[in-house]
Amino acid sequence: MHNPPTAAEAEAHLRTLLADNEMPQPDEVLHHPAEVVFLFHEKKLAVTVELTDGWLDNATALRADAWEDR
């Protein structure tokens, strides 16, 4: 069993994921005990990442341009 990520680890992971996919970085990041909230002001978007035991050490994601149109 893995320990849940810290808020800083989750933030670093999402920032890397965004950068790798040439997406904008959040305008503001809020660290809470069990979650991290990323705010994108212009788009009025919030992304919440829960800090759980199910965190993957070597998580990978497809680039957005590799996704199949549905």
Side-chain angles (χ1 to χ4, degrees), residues 10-28:
E11 179 178 349
H13 184 77
L14 185 66
R15 286 186 179 278
T16 299
L17 182 64
L18 292 171
D20 288 350
N21 288 281
E22 300 175 1
M23 298 175 73
Q25 294 293 314
D27 298 305
E28 188 176 352

Side-chain angles (χ1 to χ4, degrees), residues 5 10-11 14 32 34-38 47-52 55:
E11 179 178 349
L14 185 66
H32 298 288
E35 67 185 14
V36 181
V37 180
F38 300 87
V47 175
T48 302
V49 176
E50 293 183 13
L51 305 175
T52 66
W55 182 262

Side-chain angles (χ1 to χ4, degrees), residues 2-3 5 13 52-60:
H2 298 266
N3 290 329
H13 184 77
T52 66
D53 287 336
W55 182 262
L56 299 175
D57 288 333
N58 292 317
T60 59

